[in-house]
Amino acid sequence: MKKLFLNFVLLSFALIAVGCKQDSGKPSQSISTQVNHIKYAKGLVIYKHKGFMIMTIKNPWPNAGKAYIYILKEKTGVIPDSLREFPIINIPLQKIVVTSTTHIPSLEMLGVENTLIGFPHTDYISSEKVREQVDNGKIKDVGSDQSLNTELLIELAPDALVGHGIDNNNPTFDNLQKNGLNVIINGDWNESSPLGKAEWIKFFGALYGLDAKANSIFKSIETNYKKSLQLTQNIKNKPTVFSGAIFENQWYMPQGNSWGALFLNDANANYLWKETKGTGSLSLSFESVLLKAVNADFWIGPGEFTSLAAMASSNSHYTQFKAFKTKKVYAYSTKKGKTGGIIYYELAPNRPDLVLQDLVKILHPELLPNHQLYFFEQLK
């Protein structure tokens, strides 16, 4: 329960540090003046050239102060001498290891999920297609997030291992690179905007030479998201909303500029902690939450509870909230994969359009009368 709840607080923060070639983020020659087609993601820059791409990862973790540059080389591409100081990755990839469930939907949407050969904690995977590959032994469990099986990874010899970082200190990745493995940092988890997170499908599109397909997929998601956003613009009624639950005597709640809070804002909700600054989680006392949210209309995302009875059993004080009494408590934790992985954690960052549709349906049901909730469910 403790580990699952931390997943709720951090929401897919795969705590894996990456040691790669570091730079200011700007290649040292004029070819970098090409157009960057990344629109929303703050930490991803991709310049496409004849035979190769320059991909820069900026702000891979909060206050990183550094960037990582990778040269993605096509088979016949010729890399200028001035770029050879950076890691050169041959594309399209044929074999990959990823380290966050949020990467899996991108592979699946691009149709390259069969190239996945390793993943830490395979039980967390919810995708039916990818679970079948796990069950058939095609995807190996490569250890835990912070203690990867180095020997197995070297034996698997992926074309690239995609990891996350919270700092620049990870001996495992250093060792893997010394043994010739390509380690690529991915900073999608550090994006705060819904469309910013989803745009990281272009990261994987670039690795597979499928940038046109990735652009098309993201464009469809963006269009659907904006349609739902437009629906709420003229709604004057803004239901009051709060979120989170108690963990180890602290109530964790999304900060006002966080991914979860921005969804509520776009759904035209009055999120009671919207004025707080930051993109992470607030740590609050129960008393302060009760004082402010006791009469709130909706409670959305109450940790990983799956029923009102379970909530009341865990803490009888939950029953004091109006949203609990009126049964307007909605959770994403009821919908799980075959081995217990929560589908929301895996897919929601990639499909913000579905998340927003759910929230609009919950808060303003008249706007989407035919929509069936995809991630969320009203607790009984």
Side-chain angles (χ1 to χ4, degrees), residues 36 181 189 203 226 307 334 342:
N36 169 38
L181 269 66
W189 69 272
F203 168 94
K226 287 186 172 181
S307 71
T334 60
I342 295 177

PDB file of all heavy atoms in Angstrom, residues 36 181 189 203 226 307 334 342:
ATOM      1  N   ASN A  36      12.268  23.769 -34.726  1.00  0.00           N
ATOM      2  CA  ASN A  36      11.893  22.788 -33.710  1.00  0.00           C
ATOM      3  C   ASN A  36      10.367  22.676 -33.704  1.00  0.00           C
ATOM      4  O   ASN A  36       9.670  23.660 -33.505  1.00  0.00           O
ATOM      5  CB  ASN A  36      12.393  23.241 -32.334  1.00  0.00           C
ATOM      6  CG  ASN A  36      11.814  22.400 -31.213  1.00  0.00           C
ATOM      7  OD1 ASN A  36      11.655  21.205 -31.357  1.00  0.00           O
ATOM      8  ND2 ASN A  36      11.499  23.040 -30.098  1.00  0.00           N
ATOM      9  N   LEU A 181      26.348   0.206 -23.609  1.00  0.00           N
ATOM     10  CA  LEU A 181      24.913   0.415 -23.796  1.00  0.00           C
ATOM     11  C   LEU A 181      24.591   1.902 -23.916  1.00  0.00           C
ATOM     12  O   LEU A 181      25.183   2.734 -23.223  1.00  0.00           O
ATOM     13  CB  LEU A 181      24.121  -0.183 -22.627  1.00  0.00           C
ATOM     14  CG  LEU A 181      23.666  -1.641 -22.790  1.00  0.00           C
ATOM     15  CD1 LEU A 181      24.863  -2.575 -22.833  1.00  0.00           C
ATOM     16  CD2 LEU A 181      22.707  -2.027 -21.675  1.00  0.00           C
ATOM     17  N   TRP A 189       8.247  13.127 -17.234  1.00  0.00           N
ATOM     18  CA  TRP A 189       7.595  13.239 -15.925  1.00  0.00           C
ATOM     19  C   TRP A 189       7.728  14.643 -15.335  1.00  0.00           C
ATOM     20  O   TRP A 189       6.945  15.034 -14.473  1.00  0.00           O
ATOM     21  CB  TRP A 189       8.165  12.206 -14.962  1.00  0.00           C
ATOM     22  CG  TRP A 189       9.588  12.445 -14.535  1.00  0.00           C
ATOM     23  CD1 TRP A 189      10.714  12.017 -15.168  1.00  0.00           C
ATOM     24  CD2 TRP A 189      10.038  13.170 -13.385  1.00  0.00           C
ATOM     25  NE1 TRP A 189      11.843  12.436 -14.484  1.00  0.00           N
ATOM     26  CE2 TRP A 189      11.454  13.142 -13.383  1.00  0.00           C
ATOM     27  CE3 TRP A 189       9.387  13.845 -12.354  1.00  0.00           C
ATOM     28  CZ2 TRP A 189      12.213  13.762 -12.397  1.00  0.00           C
ATOM     29  CZ3 TRP A 189      10.151  14.456 -11.363  1.00  0.00           C
ATOM     30  CH2 TRP A 189      11.550  14.416 -11.388  1.00  0.00           C
ATOM     31  N   PHE A 203       9.299  11.990 -28.829  1.00  0.00           N
ATOM     32  CA  PHE A 203      10.592  11.466 -28.400  1.00  0.00           C
ATOM     33  C   PHE A 203      10.768  10.051 -28.951  1.00  0.00           C
ATOM     34  O   PHE A 203      11.796   9.711 -29.554  1.00  0.00           O
ATOM     35  CB  PHE A 203      10.635  11.481 -26.874  1.00  0.00           C
ATOM     36  CG  PHE A 203      11.768  10.734 -26.222  1.00  0.00           C
ATOM     37  CD1 PHE A 203      12.933  11.382 -25.861  1.00  0.00           C
ATOM     38  CD2 PHE A 203      11.653   9.377 -25.928  1.00  0.00           C
ATOM     39  CE1 PHE A 203      13.972  10.705 -25.223  1.00  0.00           C
ATOM     40  CE2 PHE A 203      12.681   8.687 -25.300  1.00  0.00           C
ATOM     41  CZ  PHE A 203      13.854   9.358 -24.955  1.00  0.00           C
ATOM     42  N   LYS A 226      -8.594  20.054 -27.105  1.00  0.00           N
ATOM     43  CA  LYS A 226      -9.073  21.422 -27.300  1.00  0.00           C
ATOM     44  C   LYS A 226     -10.583  21.480 -27.489  1.00  0.00           C
ATOM     45  O   LYS A 226     -11.230  22.460 -27.103  1.00  0.00           O
ATOM     46  CB  LYS A 226      -8.358  22.055 -28.494  1.00  0.00           C
ATOM     47  CG  LYS A 226      -6.910  22.409 -28.204  1.00  0.00           C
ATOM     48  CD  LYS A 226      -6.277  23.155 -29.366  1.00  0.00           C
ATOM     49  CE  LYS A 226      -4.893  23.674 -29.014  1.00  0.00           C
ATOM     50  NZ  LYS A 226      -4.277  24.416 -30.140  1.00  0.00           N
ATOM     51  N   SER A 307     -13.406   2.234  -2.684  1.00  0.00           N
ATOM     52  CA  SER A 307     -14.789   2.271  -2.210  1.00  0.00           C
ATOM     53  C   SER A 307     -14.907   3.269  -1.065  1.00  0.00           C
ATOM     54  O   SER A 307     -13.924   3.568  -0.376  1.00  0.00           O
ATOM     55  CB  SER A 307     -15.256   0.889  -1.741  1.00  0.00           C
ATOM     56  OG  SER A 307     -14.617   0.540  -0.525  1.00  0.00           O
ATOM     57  N   THR A 334      -9.817   2.224  -9.382  1.00  0.00           N
ATOM     58  CA  THR A 334     -10.625   1.015  -9.506  1.00  0.00           C
ATOM     59  C   THR A 334     -10.330   0.244 -10.787  1.00  0.00           C
ATOM     60  O   THR A 334     -10.659  -0.932 -10.892  1.00  0.00           O
ATOM     61  CB  THR A 334     -12.123   1.359  -9.479  1.00  0.00           C
ATOM     62  OG1 THR A 334     -12.422   2.230 -10.581  1.00  0.00           O
ATOM     63  CG2 THR A 334     -12.510   2.047  -8.183  1.00  0.00           C
ATOM     64  N   ILE A 342      -2.313   0.126 -12.042  1.00  0.00           N
ATOM     65  CA  ILE A 342      -3.405   1.077 -12.265  1.00  0.00           C
ATOM     66  C   ILE A 342      -3.267   1.693 -13.659  1.00  0.00           C
ATOM     67  O   ILE A 342      -2.242   2.285 -13.998  1.00  0.00           O
ATOM     68  CB  ILE A 342      -3.406   2.153 -11.177  1.00  0.00           C
ATOM     69  CG1 ILE A 342      -3.727   1.513  -9.824  1.00  0.00           C
ATOM     70  CG2 ILE A 342      -4.427   3.253 -11.490  1.00  0.00           C
ATOM     71  CD1 ILE A 342      -3.689   2.460  -8.645  1.00  0.00           C
TER      72      ILE A 342
END
